Amino acid sequence: MPEPGGTAPVPPAPPQGARPGSGVSLELRLVLIVVLAVTVATMVVGAALVVEERRQLVERVDAQLRATALTLAQATADELAGPVQEGRRVSLVADIPSEYVVVVFVESRDTTVEVRPVVRSRGGMPAVPELSSSEAAARGSEPFTVGSQQGVGRWRVVSLPTDSGDASVSVALPLDADDATKRLSVVTLVIGSAVVAVAALLGGVAVRRSLRPLTAVEHTAVAIARGELSARVPEGGQDTEVGRLTGALNGMLARIEDSIRQREASQDRMRRFVADASHELRTPLASIRGFAELHRQGAVPQDEVAPTFARIEAEARRLGVLVDDLLLLAKLDEQRPVQRTDVDLAVLALDAGGDVRALDPTRRVTVRALDGSGVAPVHVVGDPDRLRQVITNLVGNAVRHTPRGTPVELAVGTAPGPAAVLEVRDHGPGIPVQERARVFDRFSRLDASRHRGTGGTGLGLSIVAAVVAGHGGRVEVDDTPGGGATFRVLLPAPVPSPTDHAATDQSATDEATTDGGSAGEAPADHDTADQVPGPGPTGQQPPAPHAP
């Protein structure tokens, strides 16, 4: 009801293009279509049946009339219209059935004689026209219909001239086909109405059962609109249209649900990323601002100025590394085309072994093939700088998160696929199985305190995963036999060419035997373990990777 002083709500206008009756349910429309089709079919069949029955009845009467008229036409006028004896006219038609009416027109007398044994017709006498023999001959024994002298009923008549030519004879029978046709029409109407009623009942039941899956689709759509994304339509047999429709809808709903889940997960990751990036950027900025403020206020003793500026420089460097990593991840997210050149993973692994010795000279570093034999060339097609960064990040991760002196192993080889495999194995505390799924998340740290004493930014393994994915590969985490974590990189390997890369093979062998070590094991030197790694073979500062 409208509020006091207000106006009644205006009903919404029907949408443009809506047709009258568009609000009728599909079930009712289908039932009406079925009823209409059955009604039309019943009417057509009934009409055809009535017409055919009447035609057969008329043809039967016409055949009887022709046979009787041909018999009587062989007589003369005197034989047809005999003398009256005892009040009755004696003629050749005395023995024909009483339904027949015979009318003889005698031309010589110009009289018409109605000859019949006993008149018992319900329709009275037919109004037969007076036809001369020539007029009768012109009709050619073709039956025709006449009315009754009393105006009730109709008759079929056949007129023929006599063989003697002195008269014409007309034979008439009452047209009972009209009455039979009316009775048949009534019976057809009753039966047709019953058929239409039964068709409407059975059609309604059949349509309702056939539309039951669509009702389930409607209920499922309502449930999904309420937020139940896991709702599905009960599937039927795939041999029906509705069954195939429900199967296709369930497939579409599953993909939509996956897309929504992925979008929600992406939004959650983005929110966490923004929060983590803000947190990571705020810390070095706060340190730089704090030390600068202390120096501006003169609160830093003269002998502490150099360490203070060294701390500011370290925080600025850390901030630069973090920003560079963020920019790199942003570029990788754009999925730009990767530089494609021939890269030998064995050479990169040997270079990474040298980086490990620079990071921690006390560690025993081994570079070998996957099967434990000497290192051999393993070629892939990709960006050498990015792949070198992958290995550097993994190696730095192993050094940073394992105790000093813990051995590190690098293994290269191939796997069925074909795939090129690079493994970085450490013998530290390892990574719990339940945490392995998120070690490649950005700013992921397994310690709740978010301690930064190790110097990592939490983006190293994220960069590894993004670079490897850009090369069409994947990264796996597994346990190292005896304890520790193994990071396994799998990259698509090109089909081996007939010619070997002899120069690369020789370079790999030379690298494996440098510093007095054997091919596959690098000796340790004696630099301090806390040393910041120097530039790698490409002249780039190794990024600060991170793992749990």
Side-chain angles (χ1 to χ4, degrees):
M1 295 181 62
E3 297 181 358
T7 58
V10 179
Q16 295 183 357
R19 294 176 298 176
S22 59
V24 180
S25 65
L26 176 62
E27 178 180 345
L28 180 57
R29 287 201 297 269
L30 291 177
V31 172
L32 291 177
I33 291 174
V34 170
V35 171
L36 180 61
V38 173
T39 302
V40 172
T42 303
M43 292 176 60
V44 171
V45 172
L49 180 63
V50 170
V51 171
E52 180 63 20
E53 182 66 17
R54 187 181 187 284
R55 185 186 64 79
Q56 292 182 4
L57 290 175
V58 172
E59 287 181 352
R60 188 180 301 117
V61 171
D62 292 345
Q64 294 173 354
L65 290 174
R66 286 193 184 93
T68 303
L70 288 174
T71 301
L72 295 178
Q74 297 175 3
T76 62
D78 293 335
E79 292 174 339
L80 292 174
V84 177
Q85 298 178 359
E86 298 179 358
R88 297 180 57 194
R89 187 176 296 279
V90 179
S91 68
L92 293 177
V93 297
D95 297 329
I96 65 175
S98 59
E99 288 84 1
Y100 288 84
V101 173
V102 179
V103 177
V104 179
F105 177 72
V106 182
E107 294 184 22
S108 59
R109 304 175 189 173
D110 196 20
T111 58
T112 300
V113 181
E114 296 178 353
V115 183
R116 60 191 182 282
V118 179
V119 179
R120 296 180 299 182
S121 173
R122 298 187 302 272
M125 293 299 295
V128 179
E130 295 181 353
L131 300 176
S132 63
S133 59
S134 59
E135 291 175 343
R139 289 184 177 270
S141 71
E142 186 67 25
F144 57 94
T145 303
V146 298
S148 176
Q149 294 178 3
Q150 287 75 21
V152 179
R154 295 193 302 169
W155 298 72
R156 290 288 285 179
V157 181
V158 173
S159 298
L160 290 175
T162 60
D163 292 346
S164 60
D166 56 352
S168 67
V169 57
S170 298
V171 183
L173 275 175
L175 192 58
D176 295 334
D178 291 343
D179 296 336
T181 300
K182 291 178 181 179
R183 291 192 298 271
L184 182 60
S185 299
V186 172
V187 172
T188 302
L189 180 61
V190 173
I191 295 177
S193 300
V195 170
V196 171
V198 173
L201 179 62
L202 296 181
V205 174
V207 168
R208 189 175 298 109
R209 289 178 60 87
S210 300
L211 294 181
R212 191 173 300 168
L214 297 183
T215 304
V217 171
E218 177 187 0
H219 294 163
T220 302
V222 173
I224 292 176
R226 290 198 303 261
E228 301 176 15
L229 299 179
S230 59
R232 294 293 182 271
V233 182
E235 293 191 19
Q238 293 299 314
D239 54 342
T240 63
E241 291 81 359
V242 176
R244 292 191 291 270
L245 173 62
T246 54
L249 283 176
N250 284 338
M252 180 187 68
L253 292 175
R255 288 192 291 271
I256 291 176
E257 182 184 8
D258 292 341
S259 299
I260 293 177
R261 301 298 186 197
Q262 292 175 4
R263 185 183 65 181
E264 292 176 349
S266 177
Q267 290 175 349
D268 291 340
R269 287 194 300 269
M270 180 60 66
R271 283 192 292 267
R272 290 196 302 269
F273 175 76
V274 172
D276 290 338
S278 301
H279 186 79
E280 295 291 340
L281 292 172
R282 184 175 62 240
T283 302
L285 287 175
S287 298
I288 293 173
R289 184 175 58 185
F291 286 121
E293 184 69 17
L294 289 175
H295 183 268
R296 185 181 63 82
Q297 295 176 355
V300 179
Q302 188 64 31
D303 55 345
E304 295 292 335
V305 172
T308 299
F309 275 97
R311 184 67 181 274
I312 293 175
E313 183 180 359
E315 292 295 335
R317 186 182 303 111
R318 182 172 178 271
L319 182 61
V321 171
L322 180 60
V323 171
D324 290 341
D325 288 347
L326 290 174
L327 291 175
L328 176 58
L329 285 172
K331 292 180 180 179
L332 294 175
D333 288 342
E334 294 176 1
Q335 298 181 350
R336 296 179 180 178
V338 178
Q339 178 184 353
R340 299 290 180 178
T341 58
D342 183 77
V343 181
D344 187 356
L345 294 183
V347 173
L348 299 184
L350 290 167
D351 292 343
D355 294 340
V356 174
R357 291 192 298 273
L359 292 170
D360 188 354
T362 65
R363 294 180 185 269
R364 182 171 178 266
V365 181
T366 305
V367 182
R368 62 181 62 181
L370 289 175
D371 56 4
S373 61
V375 64
V378 177
H379 294 276
V380 296
V381 177
D383 188 334
D385 294 335
R386 292 286 178 255
L387 294 178
R388 186 180 297 276
Q389 186 173 18
V390 166
I391 300 178
T392 302
N393 285 14
L394 293 177
V395 169
N397 183 81
V399 172
R400 184 175 295 108
H401 298 283
T402 57
R404 293 181 58 185
T406 303
V408 176
E409 302 172 6
L410 290 88
V412 293
T414 58
V421 182
L422 167 70
E423 292 185 356
V424 177
R425 309 165 185 165
D426 64 56
H427 296 274
I431 302 174
V433 176
Q434 65 273 16
E435 302 291 349
R436 293 176 184 174
R438 67 184 187 94
V439 295
F440 298 102
D441 292 345
R442 298 172 184 183
F443 298 109
S444 174
R445 288 188 176 87
L446 302 188
D447 55 324
S449 64
R450 300 181 60 88
H451 178 61
R452 295 172 182 77
T454 58
T457 64
L459 297 175
L461 293 183
S462 300
I463 294 175
V464 168
V467 171
V468 173
H471 284 75
R474 67 180 188 275
V475 187
E476 301 174 351
V477 184
D478 203 351
D479 291 326
T480 300
T486 296
F487 285 83
R488 184 178 299 108
V489 176
L490 294 97
L491 296 171
V495 178
S497 59
T499 60
D500 251 339
H501 299 272
T504 306
D505 297 352
Q506 184 63 37
S507 173
T509 304
D510 295 342
E511 289 284 351
T513 56
T514 56
D515 300 327
S518 61
E521 184 171 341
D525 53 20
H526 301 285
D527 294 340
T528 59
D530 295 333
Q531 174 183 345
V532 178
T538 60
Q540 295 181 345
Q541 184 75 17
H546 178 75

